[in-house]
Amino acid sequence: MPTIMPIFGTRPEAIKMAPIVAALQDSDLFDCVVTVTGQHREMLDQVNELFGVVPDHDLNILQQRQSLSAIMTRTIDGLDKLFTHDKPDAVIVQGDTTTSTAGAIAAFYHSIPVVHVEAGLRSGDLFSPFPEEANRKLTSQLASLHLAPTSVSKANLVAEGVDPHDVVVTGNTVIDALLTTVGKKIPFTDHRLEELASTGRQILLVTTHRRENQGDTMRGMGRALARIADAEPDLVIVLPAHKNPAVRETVLPALEGKPNIIVTEPLAYGEFTRMLALAHIVLTDSGGVQEEAPSLGKPVLVMRENTERPEAVHAGTVALIGTDEDRIVKEVDRLLNEQAHFDSMANAVNPYGDGKAALRTLAALSQLFGLGLRVEDFTV
Ligand code: UD1
Ligand code: UDP
């Protein structure tokens, strides 16, 4: 029986890999050996605990304020040692983190086929998001099987010369994860959120972490949030703060003492999806949140200059607003105070998946190993 090794290390990879791990473990065609790099620690463990994923190997590479090179070298070194005595028949890497690209390189050096989940996303700017656009392009060069979430991402790969037969459109596994989690009404561990949920007050849910936004841009985001809180006393801003100290020390100072801003630790995935469902508006620079919020019909303002996820922008649920402080304030104000504008963005759309991405992934893996046939591609 072929052994498949999912390799992941950060929160979003863990969320998006969980449905695949579950499908592999349920299957009688494959053995599944889970390896985590530990690029994230608390934020990774939080997800694995929720989905009941127990890693077989943990490289435990996290360092505070780690450099990109440290993540890359520590991951390749750890996997290199692992592959000398535990060589899977294929590895699966997810998305565009440095863990995923390092995993692809280490596997390639050991002649292990690489399966790339969430393949083919492109912003078209090598430096934004940084380093993710480069990471995902590098991984595409090494992959044997490309699992594109949408037909747009498949077209990107084919335009770069990837053989269409090596691409399967699966939908994004984040929608599988979301659909199995969002309805569960998991209690908030932070009592302020449970109280807020019972009041029915309007919530602006905010997340930020992108490397290219760190520094002055994030200070501006903090000031924008403080101005929104002052101007809209009935609104409550909820900000689950990323663990990165570079994020906390720039965004949070401007928020201190504001009665209608709640800053929390990263929310466990079940709590976060419940907060997404409660939110009136979402303001974010996250990739995964851009995919999830549209399926819940939430208007999303994306604090970035570009996106590799154009599908929900085209559907009208996501707007790219850049990172300028005044613009952030203006765009939130518009959504709060112009009902027609809010209504035009508050459409539930599912351009990223139908909850069956893990099933299509399993079928594509079966075809790769001559054990079955792929199933029909995901279409909207
Ligand atoms: C990483 C990914 C990014 C992804 C994001 C999801 C890279 C280069 N970046 O960015 O693509 O969008 O994860 O959140 O792969 N930290 C902790 N505990 C944790 C997590 C982080 O203490 O559980 C702190 C550490 O000080 C760490 C820092 O946050 O050095 C940054 O973590 P890192 O993984 O390097 O970058 P992210 O910004 O999280
Ligand atoms: N998320 C979470 N708790 C939080 C914030 C986000 O579980 O407090 C989830 C969110 O639902 C999404 C994923 O984390 O699935 C996105 O992770 P992140 O924004 O860190 O990374 P990105 O998607 O930008 O790579």
Side-chain angles (χ1 to χ4, degrees), residues 11-12 15-16 40 43 46-47 96 174 207 209-210 240 242 265-269 272-273 276 285-289 292 309:
R11 170 172 66 191
I15 293 166
K16 291 171 171 180
H40 284 175
M43 289 164 55
Q46 212 177 22
V47 179
D96 52 19
V174 81
T207 76
H209 71 82
R210 295 243 82 81
H242 193 285
E265 286 301 310
L267 299 181
Y269 185 62
F272 187 78
T273 57
L276 257 184
D285 62 11
S286 161
V289 177
E292 293 161 336
R309 295 168 166 90

Side-chain angles (χ1 to χ4, degrees), residues 224-281:
L225 294 177
R227 284 169 56 189
I228 295 164
D230 288 343
E232 302 285 346
D234 292 338
L235 179 77
V236 180
I237 298 177
V238 174
L239 172 66
H242 193 285
K243 278 283 180 197
N244 193 340
V247 173
R248 293 186 172 203
E249 64 203 18
T250 48
V251 182
L252 301 192
L255 314 185
E256 270 167 33
K258 301 284 176 198
N260 54 340
I261 299 186
I262 301 177
V263 176
T264 71
E265 286 301 310
L267 299 181
Y269 185 62
E271 297 186 41
F272 187 78
T273 57
R274 182 175 167 210
M275 185 48 71
L276 257 184
L278 289 170
H280 188 56
I281 301 169

Side-chain angles (χ1 to χ4, degrees), residues 299-320:
V300 189
L301 300 175
V302 174
M303 297 183 286
R304 288 179 45 188
E305 306 298 338
N306 60 26
T307 183
E308 57 289 313
R309 295 168 166 90
E311 294 88 345
V313 178
H314 293 145
T317 312
V318 167
L320 280 180

